[in-house]
Structure formats: C-alpha cells, structure tokens
Amino acid sequence: MENRAEFNGNLSDLTYGFVGLGLMGGSMAKAIKKFILKSGKILACTRKESALKDAKSQGIIDDYCVLKPENAESIKKMLGECDMVFVCLPPKNTIEFLVEHKDNFKKGSIVTEIAGVKTGVFKAFPLGMDGVNFIPGHPMAGNEREGFAYSDENIFQNRNYIFLPYEDTDPKALDTFKEAMKSIGFTNLIVTDWKTHDHKIAFTSQLCHVIASSLVDCAEDTQVTQFGGGSFEDLTRIALINAPLWTELFISNKEELISHIENFEKSLDKIKNQIRNEDADELKETLTEVRNRRAMMAQFMKKK
Amino acid sequence: MENRAEFNGNLSDLTYGFVGLGLMGGSMAKAIKKFILKSGKILACTRKESALKDAKSQGIIDDYCVLKPENAESIKKMLGECDMVFVCLPPKNTIEFLVEHKDNFKKGSIVTEIAGVKTGVFKAFPLGMDGVNFIPGHPMAGNEREGFAYSDENIFQNRNYIFLPYEDTDPKALDTFKEAMKSIGFTNLIVTDWKTHDHKIAFTSQLCHVIASSLVDCAEDTQVTQFGGGSFEDLTRIALINAPLWTELFISNKEELISHIENFEKSLDKIKNQIRNEDADELKETLTEVRNRRAMMAQFMKKK
C-alpha cells in the first residue's frame, strides 16, 4: 500500500469536499470559505437536500449532490475533483462511506474524517488508504445544536485539534492539513495515535457527557433549577445531548469509557466518605488539591 | 418573642450595614451603592482592614470598623445605626456573629445573612430574632474567586434569590427586602422554608461541587485538557473551589447531600450498565429523556 502521495497546492486555491453538512461539516465549510478560500471552491454532498440548497444559496458551496445510493456516480465524480475531503457524518456512516469510496478519492488528495471515536476507523483502515493522504482528525469544538442551520464559522476559535496520522503519513500533507485548521481558528494542534485519542477523549468528552446526563436524570423534578445559581447549568449544558450520536460514541468506546466512569466513581466515593465521616481536615486537603489541579489544567483550555 | 417590627423608609435613603466584605458582601455593597443609594449610606465591618480601606477609598462604603473582639463596642454602635444589615461571613462565623450581636441591631431593622446551608441558622434562631425583621436569604450568585478585590456589582443580574422568612415575618419587611434585591439585579425571587432550601441547594449547588471536584480528582494527569473541547472545562469550573468554605457547607448539610450523591450514583450506574450491555435502544431512550428534561429546566436558569 502506498499510503502517501505528494500534496501540492495553495490552501486558498484548492477544491474542498464535504461529505456531511450538519453542524460540524457546515461550520467547517463556512470557516474555510471565510478564512481560507480565494480562487478555490467547495463541493458538498449530504443526505439533506435542504442543507445543500441553503449552503449554495448562501454562497458557501459551489456545487453539490445529495448523498444517496442512486447518486453513487455523481459522488464518485465529486470526490475525484477534491484536493481535501472532510467526511463529517456520524461515526458508523463515516466508516461505511470511507470503505465504499476509498478508491474514488483524487490521487494525492488529503482525506480526513471527524468521528469522535477512532477505533472503528483504524480497524477499517489499519494501514491507511491507498494513493491518498488519509489523516483522521478530531476538531474539539461544537455545541448542543444540530444541523447546517446552526453551523457557525467561529466555533473553532482557540480550540484544540487532534491529528491522527499513520506512521508513514507524508509530513508535508500533515503540515498542509494543520495549516488549514490553524487558518480557521484552531490554536492547539495535537498529534497522537488513535489508542491515546480514544482513551483521552473518553475522559474529557464522553465521561463528561455521561456525568451531565446522570445529573439531569437523577433530578427530582424539572423545577429544581429555581434554586440554581449557575453550577447546575454549567454542569448540564451538554446534557442537551444528541441521543443517537452519543449512544453510538459511548458504546463504540465502551471499554475506555467504563474504566473512566469507574475511576470517577472511586473519587466520588472518597469525597462522599470524607463528608459522611465529617473528616474536615481530609476533605479540605482533597478540595485544596482539586483546586490546584484544576488551576494547572486551565493552561490547555480555550482562552476566553 | 416579637419577631417583627414595622419597617419604614425608602431604599435609597437607608443606612446599610455589611458584616463581611469579601466577594459576596463586597459585590452586594457595590450593587447597593450603584443601583439603590441616593442619600443613604453604607457601613461595613470585616476582618481584613485592607478590604475596608479599599472599599472606602473607592467610595463604596462611608465608614467602617475592623471585625475583631476588641472592637465590640464600635461594632455594636454600627449595627445600631443600620436599617438593613447583611451578614456575609462563612456559615459558622455567621451564626456566631448573629448570636453574639442579636441584641445590638436597630429596632425594626431588616437583618439577613447569606449562608449556603440554613440548618444551623434556624437551629440557633428557631423563632427569629427579637425586635428585628430577621430574614435569612440566599443569593444564588458568585464565582470561583475570593475577596473584596474580585467583588463585582453585576454578578446578580438575572439570578435567583431565595428568601427564608419566618411564619410571622412582617410581609412589609419581606417586600422591602425583595424590592432591594430586585433593584440590584435578581429576577427570580423564591420564598421557601429552610428544610426545602437545604434539600434543594444540596442538589443544585453542593452535589455539583462534589461532582466537579471528583472529576478533577480522578483525572490521570493535568495535561489531559489538551484533548478537551469545552465539556470538561464547563463541568469543572466550580472545582476552582474555596476549600475551607465548601468543607463547611458539605459537612453541615451532609444528610441531604449524601442522599443526592446516592441518587446520582444510581443514575450513573444505570447509564454505565446500558453502555456496558451495549443496550443502544435503552441508552438512546435515557439520553432522549435527559435532553427533554434539561430543555424544560432551562426556564428557571439565568437568561444569557
């Protein structure tokens, strides 16, 4: 397998392709249009024709086709024209699409996807993709909304982007991809392997969604927020959750996620016992340590 | 016990007293100065003389005395001049101060305190306070900072205020107090009893702080936030915790808090098992229900 191919061209003049034009795909397309594009263009396919029509009429994309089986030829043609393709579908659909179209990408193009869990992607493509620069990635941005209508070119400002190149990925292709992501606002660019990714993401993202969901689930009633002062609001914003997507993410990364849940349960149990035993000195020590750790963690967080 | 006394006067012309001038006392004093005061004045006592000097030089307070045993007479004199007194000390100190000075407040004045747990206050004053309108309260606002230097008159905008009057509290005094809190920004004014308060607050506030602290505590390292996209940041902002204060709050409300922690553990366990068993349908149902509940809860949250 020739898992690389020399990449040439200026970012501003490339043809970009989007497969999936929801909140993430739409936001990335808008950001590329706004922050990168000069003489280049953007092509897109997604399942919802209305999103494509909106994107076209807003001048974000130049051409499109609807993502459906009978359009296989048009999709193939589109992929053959793109220098950089972003597959922004739900995780399982992402893998299905990549497997189906792996021979249809333009020779030497950069192909990426944004699935929140990478095990499936790397199981399907353990050695990369023939003739193209396939570099999975994970833009650490988004919000609780769904669909192109809520897409926003500014959600990537000061965010983290995780790149998951193969051992033999062409460094030039990776640099080009990084440059593009920097141009649309990402500031902290991390390169790692998929096992590390799935382990860390299970903590920073999936565990947080499980906790937020559990907190809403255990509320006695929905009026309790009358007694709130902002803490519950902050802890449960992400409980406005896209249920099908997160069901898929949780289950596809279940081993990592469950191990983090269990670690969290241990810490919760420790603090609970310090409270139950009225062990003020130990509790104060734990909370002081927590405060210090959280202050140290702030260095890699989005600057506000 | 005569747990009421007619309250007279215009908010703008009163003499306000602050006992404790940290983040909360300082913010309330600044807000009263900015949004209410005309010919009235603000007196303050707190342990840190530097805070008093700063507040005086900034024109927030008109006079002060340092809160220390040898100043008992000056403090007594100050309390005797105030129409509305806010005791904004840590919970235990609040009760100690109120017990020591219960006979020193001006006849007919409104006296309040802002402790985050009310059991101790109501155990010390089961029937109120003689000759004054003692109305415990809880401003549901604040942030992770400490001290007068970080106080800010705008942190109360669109927040909830909980009032805990006695059965025989003078309605006119309560209305005056409410009007004052509305004037400085609070929009959702709730009247309840202390048992309900301590039960609800254990959920919306203390449980959230325990969860945020546990989440930071269980992190493998402080670099993991490189992989974060905002969720972990939101869930752990309040883990920048004031350790002595929250140790006191957790332990003084431990029965309510532990019962909420246990309910939360049950919900967490339910979701964990749905993930472990790869029960996609049930998990999706749980998350859909969570999303709907959270959307309903938003009506009582701070409007942004």
Side-chain angles (χ1 to χ4, degrees):
Chain A
M1 182 171 300
E2 191 201 351
N3 183 37
R4 59 165 73 191
E6 192 154 334
F7 182 84
N8 284 305
N10 286 321
L11 287 180
S12 59
D13 307 328
L14 301 180
T15 296
Y16 294 86
F18 281 86
V19 180
L21 205 66
L23 179 80
M24 291 301 294
S27 297
M28 297 199 91
K30 285 180 177 176
I32 285 173
K33 176 75 183 174
K34 181 172 177 186
F35 300 113
I36 295 183
L37 230 55
K38 282 182 191 156
S39 68
K41 59 181 178 174
I42 301 182
L43 310 177
C45 71
T46 199
R47 285 169 293 191
K48 265 177 93 177
E49 188 164 11
S50 61
L52 293 163
K53 282 184 176 169
D54 288 351
K56 180 97 195 284
S57 74
Q58 289 169 30
I60 308 299
I61 61 172
D62 299 274
D63 208 353
Y64 67 77
C65 62
V66 178
L67 181 57
K68 53 183 181 183
E70 53 268 47
N71 282 354
E73 274 310 303
S74 315
I75 296 166
K76 185 176 170 180
K77 185 173 165 289
M78 177 189 129
L79 297 176
E81 289 176 34
C82 297
D83 304 297
M84 202 182 286
V85 176
F86 294 83
V87 180
C88 303
L89 299 171
K92 271 185 200 160
N93 300 107
T94 291
I95 297 169
E96 285 161 13
F97 183 91
L98 288 169
V99 168
E100 185 183 342
H101 292 281
K102 66 178 169 18
D103 300 320
N104 299 335
F105 296 105
K106 182 177 172 181
K107 195 97 184 160
S109 63
I110 292 172
V111 176
T112 190
E113 52 74 41
I114 63 160
V117 173
K118 297 303 187 192
T119 309
V121 173
F122 280 83
K123 279 190 177 159
F125 297 96
L127 301 170
M129 213 180 275
D130 222 8
V132 301
N133 300 289
F134 177 53
I135 310 174
H138 192 175
M140 299 303 299
N143 59 43
E144 65 278 15
R145 300 193 154 150
E146 294 168 33
F148 179 78
Y150 292 107
S151 63
D152 176 352
E153 66 266 26
N154 295 312
I155 62 171
F156 309 124
Q157 299 301 315
N158 294 317
R159 293 290 183 162
N160 300 330
Y161 206 108
I162 308 170
F163 299 88
L164 301 140
Y166 291 86
E167 270 186 30
D168 60 348
T169 289
D170 179 9
K172 203 175 145 197
L174 178 59
D175 284 348
T176 304
F177 183 16
K178 279 182 167 179
E179 194 192 328
M181 296 303 95
K182 230 171 163 169
S183 302
I184 66 170
F186 291 95
T187 43
N188 190 26
L189 310 182
I190 308 135
V191 175
T192 190
D193 61 279
W194 67 269
K195 282 189 179 164
T196 305
H197 172 274
D198 285 4
H199 178 72
K200 300 286 188 185
I201 288 300
F203 180 79
T204 59
S205 175
Q206 291 149 19
L207 175 62
C208 292
H209 282 75
V210 166
I211 290 171
S213 299
S214 303
L215 184 50
V216 169
D217 186 72
C218 79
E220 290 169 341
D221 58 65
T222 56
Q223 279 81 51
V224 71
T225 43
Q226 282 189 84
F227 293 84
S231 303
F232 183 83
E233 181 173 3
D234 280 356
L235 264 76
T236 59
R237 182 187 60 83
I238 56 172
L240 285 165
I241 197 165
N242 178 330
L245 173 65
W246 286 91
T247 294
E248 204 183 315
L249 291 170
F250 290 164
I251 291 179
S252 65
N253 203 21
K254 78 167 187 171
E255 271 157 49
E256 294 292 349
L257 177 53
I258 283 176
S259 116
H260 287 303
I261 293 174
E262 286 171 349
N263 287 337
F264 170 76
E265 287 172 328
K266 277 177 209 151
S267 288
L268 182 61
D269 199 56
K270 176 178 80 179
I271 293 178
K272 183 176 73 173
N273 285 327
Q274 289 171 346
I275 295 168
R276 198 197 307 269
N277 302 334
E278 304 192 17
D279 199 337
D281 289 340
E282 264 196 44
L283 180 54
K284 210 181 294 172
E285 204 181 302
T286 302
L287 298 180
T288 303
E289 169 72 5
V290 158
R291 183 187 171 94
N292 294 339
R293 296 195 93 197
R294 179 56 175 73
M296 283 176 69
M297 286 168 162
Q299 62 176 315
F300 294 115
M301 290 174 176
K302 188 190 169 198
K303 288 101 200 148
K304 286 207 173 153
Chain B
M1 182 172 299
E2 192 201 351
N3 183 37
R4 59 165 72 190
E6 192 154 334
F7 182 84
N8 285 305
N10 286 322
L11 287 180
S12 58
D13 308 327
L14 301 180
T15 296
Y16 294 87
F18 282 86
V19 180
L21 205 66
L23 180 79
M24 291 301 292
S27 297
M28 297 199 92
K30 284 181 178 176
I32 285 173
K33 176 76 184 173
K34 181 172 177 184
F35 300 114
I36 295 183
L37 230 55
K38 282 183 193 154
S39 68
K41 58 182 178 172
I42 301 181
L43 310 178
C45 71
T46 200
R47 285 168 294 191
K48 264 177 92 177
E49 188 163 11
S50 62
L52 294 163
K53 283 185 174 167
D54 288 350
K56 180 98 195 285
S57 73
Q58 289 168 31
I60 309 299
I61 61 172
D62 299 277
D63 208 353
Y64 68 77
C65 62
V66 178
L67 181 56
K68 53 183 179 183
E70 52 268 47
N71 282 353
E73 274 310 304
S74 315
I75 296 165
K76 184 176 170 180
K77 186 173 165 290
M78 177 189 128
L79 297 176
E81 290 176 32
C82 297
D83 303 297
M84 202 182 284
V85 177
F86 293 84
V87 180
C88 303
L89 299 172
K92 271 186 202 160
N93 300 109
T94 291
I95 297 168
E96 285 161 14
F97 183 91
L98 288 169
V99 168
E100 184 183 343
H101 291 281
K102 65 179 168 21
D103 300 319
N104 299 335
F105 296 104
K106 183 176 171 181
K107 195 99 183 158
S109 63
I110 293 173
V111 175
T112 189
E113 52 74 40
I114 62 161
V117 173
K118 297 303 186 192
T119 309
V121 173
F122 280 83
K123 280 191 176 156
F125 297 96
L127 301 170
M129 213 181 276
D130 222 9
V132 301
N133 300 288
F134 177 52
I135 311 175
H138 192 174
M140 299 303 298
N143 60 42
E144 66 278 15
R145 301 198 154 148
E146 293 167 34
F148 179 78
Y150 292 108
S151 62
D152 176 352
E153 66 266 27
N154 295 311
I155 62 171
F156 308 124
Q157 298 302 316
N158 293 316
R159 294 291 182 159
N160 301 329
Y161 206 108
I162 308 170
F163 299 88
L164 301 141
Y166 291 86
E167 270 185 30
D168 60 348
T169 288
D170 179 10
K172 202 176 144 199
L174 178 60
D175 283 349
T176 305
F177 183 16
K178 279 181 168 179
E179 193 194 328
M181 295 304 95
K182 229 170 164 171
S183 301
I184 66 170
F186 291 95
T187 42
N188 190 26
L189 309 183
I190 308 135
V191 175
T192 190
D193 61 279
W194 67 269
K195 281 190 180 163
T196 305
H197 172 275
D198 285 3
H199 178 70
K200 300 286 188 184
I201 288 301
F203 180 78
T204 58
S205 175
Q206 291 148 20
L207 174 62
C208 292
H209 282 77
V210 167
I211 289 172
S213 300
S214 302
L215 184 50
V216 169
D217 186 72
C218 80
E220 290 168 341
D221 57 64
T222 56
Q223 279 81 51
V224 71
T225 43
Q226 282 188 85
F227 294 84
S231 303
F232 183 84
E233 181 172 3
D234 281 356
L235 264 76
T236 59
R237 181 186 60 83
I238 56 172
L240 284 165
I241 197 165
N242 178 330
L245 173 65
W246 286 91
T247 294
E248 203 183 317
L249 290 170
F250 291 165
I251 291 179
S252 65
N253 203 21
K254 77 167 188 172
E255 272 157 48
E256 294 292 350
L257 177 53
I258 283 176
S259 118
H260 286 304
I261 293 174
E262 286 171 348
N263 287 338
F264 171 75
E265 286 172 329
K266 278 177 208 151
S267 289
L268 181 61
D269 200 55
K270 177 178 81 179
I271 293 178
K272 183 176 73 173
N273 285 328
Q274 289 170 346
I275 295 168
R276 197 197 308 268
N277 302 333
E278 302 192 18
D279 199 337
D281 289 341
E282 265 197 43
L283 180 54
K284 211 181 294 173
E285 205 181 302
T286 302
L287 298 180
T288 303
E289 169 72 5
V290 158
R291 183 187 171 94
N292 294 340
R293 297 194 92 197
R294 179 56 176 73
M296 284 177 69
M297 286 169 162
Q299 63 177 313
F300 294 115
M301 289 176 178
K302 187 190 169 198
K303 288 101 200 150
K304 287 209 173 150

